[in-house]
Amino acid sequence: SQQGEEDPQALSIQEGENATMNCSYKTSINNLQWYRQNSGRGLVHLILIRSNEREKHSGRLRVTLDTSKKSSSLLITASRAADTASYFCATDGSGGYNKLIFGAGTRLAVHP
Amino acid sequence: DTAVSQTPKYLVTQMGNDKSIKCEQNLGHDTMYWYKQDSKKFLKIMFSYNNKELIINETVPNRFSPKSPDKAHLNLHINSLELGDSAVYFCASSYQGGPRSYEQYFGPGTRLTVT
């Protein structure tokens, strides 16, 4: 079964607005990652947050992690049309060997 | 420079056929993966190899057989294709250990359509 659930499933905003996506997971983790997938392309790693971290920033990205609620959020500030993509969270679970378990993804559409 | 490449990009075939998908990475990684993404965009790991050794083998029909001739290549052979095998298959690679071991690099995907 899928490890995580993301919401919303789809998000439509205007350029310049902020986009927030949420992810929930079920088991304990060592770290949580966010990936982006442009239409018809492979996934690209965006950012990782470790289980002992609560917040992390990278450029226009801000990730939070609440291990007590088993949830994470990805905030994209000042969105651009080029941010249009699907965004997935992935947890490493307890299987080791970099076994990533992906959520269902949020489809983000940023309109010019 | 292509980091993780897959061939073919599109594959259309009939039920019952046998087909292979090839993957190569030039990143010097020691671990490679196969993922399946279904029509609802769910992405699920199938297999992983570390230095040619199988380390992750999820509940996948034994019609799927991965082969890793060396640590830069991981191929996926599928026997007796079924309609439900239609999906996008992604290859990925990473380091097994070290500070960057968590980051996986994905290929562009192979869209398999079984008719």
Side-chain angles (χ1 to χ4, degrees):
Chain A
S1 63
Q2 291 292 113
Q3 163 75 311
E5 299 287 333
E6 275 136 314
D7 79 273
Q9 290 187 337
L11 182 60
S12 182
I13 60 174
Q14 296 295 125
E15 261 191 332
E17 295 180 340
N18 295 341
T20 299
M21 289 159 270
N22 302 298
C23 165
S24 61
Y25 56 92
K26 297 175 183 175
T27 62
S28 61
I29 62 171
N30 294 313
N31 60 64
L32 184 145
Q33 304 177 53
W34 285 89
Y35 284 79
R36 183 187 74 225
Q37 183 180 30
N38 288 78
S39 180
R41 307 289 293 272
L43 280 75
V44 175
H45 179 265
L46 294 176
I47 192 168
L48 173 144
I49 187 165
R50 300 194 188 281
S51 59
N52 61 354
E53 298 175 313
R54 291 297 166 258
E55 187 172 314
K56 201 161 184 181
H57 296 253
S58 177
R60 294 184 296 112
L61 305 180
R62 173 177 167 252
V63 171
T64 63
L65 178 64
D66 186 335
T67 53
S68 66
K69 295 181 180 178
K70 290 187 169 59
S71 67
S72 173
S73 68
L74 172 68
L75 168 67
I76 304 175
T77 60
S79 63
R80 305 166 182 167
D83 295 328
T84 295
S86 291
Y87 292 81
F88 295 86
C89 68
T91 55
D92 66 330
S94 57
Y97 295 119
N98 294 345
K99 180 180 171 182
L100 293 184
I101 301 175
F102 284 85
T106 293
R107 293 188 308 279
L108 173 66
V110 182
H111 302 283
Chain B
D1 290 342
T2 303
V4 183
S5 59
Q6 294 179 229
T7 54
K9 188 169 176 61
Y10 300 96
L11 185 53
V12 181
T13 188
Q14 293 184 326
M15 285 175 58
N17 285 349
D18 303 338
K19 291 293 180 185
S20 292
I21 307 171
K22 295 186 176 182
C23 178
E24 177 181 1
Q25 55 94 5
N26 63 5
L27 297 166
H29 291 158
D30 54 7
T31 304
M32 297 184 72
Y33 313 80
W34 277 113
Y35 288 87
K36 178 181 179 181
Q37 187 173 45
D38 64 22
S39 58
K40 295 185 178 180
K41 302 295 186 184
F42 286 118
L43 193 69
K44 188 171 182 181
I45 190 165
M46 300 172 69
F47 303 103
S48 177
Y49 272 75
N50 173 252
N51 282 323
K52 302 193 297 178
E53 179 185 350
L54 181 66
I55 58 173
I56 295 175
N57 186 355
E58 290 297 284
T59 307
V60 176
N62 56 16
R63 298 182 294 104
F64 290 79
S65 53
K67 281 189 172 54
S68 181
D70 55 60
K71 69 176 188 177
H73 295 84
L74 180 61
N75 303 323
L76 182 65
H77 188 76
I78 315 171
N79 289 326
S80 304
L81 278 155
E82 301 177 356
L83 292 176
D85 298 333
S86 294
V88 182
Y89 293 84
F90 287 99
C91 177
S93 69
S94 75
Y95 291 111
Q96 181 58 34
R100 300 297 299 274
S101 62
Y102 55 82
E103 184 174 346
Q104 296 188 17
Y105 290 74
F106 283 76
T110 295
R111 182 175 294 277
L112 171 65
T113 304
V114 182
T115 61

